[in-house]
C-alpha cells in the first residue's frame, strides 16, 4: 500500500480504501476486515477506463459512499467529482452513480447523514435551477446533500457577514441528525471565521450535477499503454499494411554513450506495431538509444 489509506466502519467490520499507483493506471482499491480479522480484497473498487483516484469515503445509516476523481491531467479551474455507492457484502465493490462539478483548488469533505450524505466543496452557485441564466461567475463553498441513492437533494452555498457576500473558504463539515455545520471565512482582513448551519429545506439553488452524456455519445471502452518509463516528448504514428506503427521519443538524460569518450544527453526512440483494434502486435522495438 502506498499513499494515504481511508477507513470507515460499515456494519460488521471495517472498510479500507486507498489509491493504488503501482500499475500503469492509478486505481481506487478496497478491502474489508471483519470483527474476526478476516480480510476480503484488496481489489479495484470499479472497472473504470483511464484510472481512478480516491478523494473521500464516508459510512452511515444510509450505507457507504465513495468520492473519486479521474487522475489529474491538464490543469482546469473546475473538475468532475464522481460519487459511487459501495457494497461491502462479500468482496467490496463500488458502483458509480452521479457526478458534480467542483473547483480543482479545494479539497472536498464527505460525511454521512441519517438519510444520506453531505459534501462540502467549492462550486458555482446557480440560483433557480437554470445554470445558463442564474450561475454566478464566482466559486462559492457549498454543502450538497445526497439521499441514500446518492441523488442530490439540496445545495446551499455559503454567504456570510453583513452585508451578505460569498465565503472564500469553508472546512470542518459535521452533521448531527438533520443539521450540518461547518466553519467558513470571508476574504476580509482581519479575517472573521463564521459557523454556518445548514438544515433541510427546499433550496432555490441548483445542485452542481454534471448531466450524463447522451446515449449516442462516443465512450472510451479501453486503454492500452503504448509505452511507460521516462517522460516522452514526442509521439508519432504511421500506417503500414494492416497495422499502425507508434514511435516514441523520450526526454534526454545524462547517460554515458557506449563508444564515446564523453558523456552526452541521449534519448531513446522506440517503435511498436498495433492492429486496427488498438491492441499491440509485438513488443516495443528500440530504434536507438543515442537520439
Amino acid at each position: 500500500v502506498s499513499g494515504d489509506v481511508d477507513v470507515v466502519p460499515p456494519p460488521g467490520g471495517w472498510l479500507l480504501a486507498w489509491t493504488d499507483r503501482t500499475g500503469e493506471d492509478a486505481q481506487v482499491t478496497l478491502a474489508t476486515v471483519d470483527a474476526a480479522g478476516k480480510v476480503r480484497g484488496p481489489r479495484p473498487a470499479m472497472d473504470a477506463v483511464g484510472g481512478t483516484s480516491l478523494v473521500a469515503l464516508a459510512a452511515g445509516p444510509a450505507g457507504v459512499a465513495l468520492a473519486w476523481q479521474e487522475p489529474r491531467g491538464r490543469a482546469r479551474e473546475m473538475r468532475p467529482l464522481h460519487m459511487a455507492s459501495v457494497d461491502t457484502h462479500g468482496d467490496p465493490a463500488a458502483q458509480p452513480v452521479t457526478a458534480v462539478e467542483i473547483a480543482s483548488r479545494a479539497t472536498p469533505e464527505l460525511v454521512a447523514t441519517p438519510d444520506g450524505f453531505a459534501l462540502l466543496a467549492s462550486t458555482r452557485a446557480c440560483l433557480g435551477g437554470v445554470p445558463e441564466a442564474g450561475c454566478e461567475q464566482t466559486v462559492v463553498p457549498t454543502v450538497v446533500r445526497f439521499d441514500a441513492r446518492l441523488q442530490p437533494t439540496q445545495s446551499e452555498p455559503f454567504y456570510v457577514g453583513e452585508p451578505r457576500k460569498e465565503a472564500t473558504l469553508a472546512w470542518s463539515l459535521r452533521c448531527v441528525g438533520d443539521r450540518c455545520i461547518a466553519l467558513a471565512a470571508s476574504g476580509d482582513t482581519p479575517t472573521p471565521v463564521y459557523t454556518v448551519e445548514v438544515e433541510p429545506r427546499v433550496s432555490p439553488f441548483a445542485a452542481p450535477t454534471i448531466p450524463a452524456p447522451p446515449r449516442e455519445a462516443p465512450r472510451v471502452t479501453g486503454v492500452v499503454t503504448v509505452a511507460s518509463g521516462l517522460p516522452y516528448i514526442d509521439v508519432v504514428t504511421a500506417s503500414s499494411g494492416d497495422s499502425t506503427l507508434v514511435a516514441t521519443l523520450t526526454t534526454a538524460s545524462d547517460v554515458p554513450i557506449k563508444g564515446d569518450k564523453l558523456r552526452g544527453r541521449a534519448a531513446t526512440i522506440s517503435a511498436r506495431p498495433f492492429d486496427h483494434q488498438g491492441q499491440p502486435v509485438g513488443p516495443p522495438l528500440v530504434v536507438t538509444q543515442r537520439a
Side-chain angles (χ1 to χ4, degrees):
V1 176
S2 61
D4 295 333
V5 179
D6 205 348
V7 59
V8 293
W14 301 90
L15 172 68
L16 295 90
W18 66 94
T19 303
D20 183 2
R21 304 185 186 278
T22 58
E24 293 291 351
D25 294 318
Q27 294 286 343
V28 175
T29 304
L30 301 176
T32 57
V33 182
D34 64 18
K38 181 180 178 181
V39 177
R40 286 185 178 271
R43 56 165 295 165
M46 66 203 86
D47 184 16
V49 176
T52 58
S53 178
L54 177 66
V55 176
L57 189 67
V64 181
L66 170 73
W68 62 278
Q69 64 184 5
E70 298 164 358
R72 295 184 182 274
R74 292 180 296 173
R76 299 178 183 272
E77 180 187 3
M78 308 296 289
R79 61 183 168 95
L81 180 72
H82 302 271
M83 305 291 293
S85 177
V86 181
D87 182 8
T88 57
H89 298 90
D91 291 334
Q95 178 62 44
V97 177
T98 188
V100 295
E101 187 180 48
I102 67 171
S104 298
R105 55 180 170 80
T107 301
E109 300 179 17
L110 180 67
V111 299
T113 64
D115 57 357
F117 302 90
L119 175 74
L120 174 60
S122 293
T123 186
R124 293 190 177 98
C126 297
L127 183 62
V130 184
E132 291 78 6
C135 255
E136 299 182 4
Q137 295 301 313
T138 56
V139 175
V140 185
T142 303
V143 165
V144 182
R145 286 183 184 266
F146 299 86
D147 61 16
R149 297 172 299 168
L150 291 181
Q151 297 301 317
T153 59
Q154 182 182 359
S155 181
E156 298 289 352
F158 286 0
Y159 294 90
V160 296
E162 291 293 344
R164 294 289 184 182
K165 58 183 176 182
E166 302 92 346
T168 56
L169 71 158
W171 66 98
S172 293
L173 176 65
R174 298 290 185 271
C175 293
V176 178
D178 288 336
R179 298 168 57 197
C180 292
I181 193 170
L183 299 179
S186 66
D188 297 335
T189 303
T191 303
V193 176
Y194 301 88
T195 56
V196 181
E197 185 176 326
V198 178
E199 293 185 347
R201 69 162 183 162
V202 178
S203 174
F205 295 93
T209 53
I210 300 176
R215 186 178 297 274
E216 65 274 12
R219 289 172 170 81
V220 178
T221 58
V223 175
V224 176
T225 300
V226 176
S228 62
L230 292 172
Y232 294 89
I233 59 174
D234 203 0
V235 178
V236 295
T237 64
S239 297
S240 177
D242 294 333
S243 63
T244 297
L245 200 62
V246 179
T248 59
L249 173 67
T250 67
T251 55
S253 59
D254 290 321
V255 296
I257 301 176
K258 188 175 180 180
D260 291 350
K261 295 181 180 180
L262 300 176
R263 294 170 62 90
R265 293 183 57 80
T268 300
I269 295 178
S270 299
R272 192 175 191 181
F274 289 80
D275 61 21
H276 290 317
Q277 283 72 44
Q279 299 300 316
V281 179
L285 307 174
V286 177
V287 179
T288 178
Q289 293 180 324
R290 303 162 61 97

